[in-house]
């Protein structure tokens, strides 16, 4: 279970509601035959997509659009957002700065 105050979850597959209430409720669904590379539509929060993004950057807005796409397409993913508001260029900038410190 992933719980943190910084994460805003956009959907809850286990919470019922349309269309999740119509999906299979058991993880035994994984044992049934299916097409290759097809995600199973199971109303359980098994697969999570966590998007960490800077809403003020073009890349951040593109990441938000991708997250929104998965929710609107009813993908069997629980989608969460974390806003990265650091002024140092975000996570990529912070990682590059850490590499420079190593010498």
């Amino acid at each position: 279970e992933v719980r943190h105050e910084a994460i805003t979850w956009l959907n809850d597959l286990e919470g019922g509601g349309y269309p999740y209430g119509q999906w299979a409720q058991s993880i035994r669904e994984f044992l049934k035959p299916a097409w290759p590379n097809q995600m199973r539509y199971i109303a359980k929060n098994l697969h999570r997509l966590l998007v960490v993004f800077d809403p003020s950057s073009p890349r951040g807005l593109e990441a938000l659009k991708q997250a929104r796409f998965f929710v609107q397409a009813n993908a069997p993913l629980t989608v969460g957002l974390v806003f990265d508001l650091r002024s140092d260029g975000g996570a990529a900038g912070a990682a590059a700065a850490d590499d420079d410190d190593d010498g």
Side-chain angles (χ1 to χ4, degrees):
E1 184 67 28
V2 179
R3 293 183 189 182
H4 193 277
E5 60 202 31
I7 302 173
T8 302
W9 295 106
L10 300 181
N11 57 351
D12 178 15
L13 305 184
E14 295 178 11
Y18 181 80
Y20 314 126
Q22 299 174 348
W23 294 358
Q25 300 293 317
S26 172
I27 59 172
R28 290 182 183 256
E29 195 71 19
F30 284 117
L31 300 174
K32 295 180 181 179
W35 294 102
N37 300 320
Q38 178 181 352
M39 293 187 75
R40 303 298 182 112
Y41 286 82
I42 301 172
K44 299 278 184 200
N45 295 323
L46 300 172
H47 305 289
R48 296 180 188 262
L49 171 65
L50 187 60
V51 181
V52 180
F53 71 103
D54 177 359
S56 66
S57 74
R59 286 183 64 191
L61 293 177
E62 184 60 35
L64 182 61
K65 286 180 189 177
Q66 291 294 320
R68 181 176 168 233
F69 168 79
F70 283 115
V71 173
Q72 287 181 332
N74 297 320
L77 295 169
T78 305
V79 180
L81 303 176
V82 176
F83 295 95
D84 181 5
L85 302 175
R86 293 179 283 185
S87 61
D88 62 0
D98 288 343
D99 290 342
D100 291 342
D101 292 341
D102 292 339

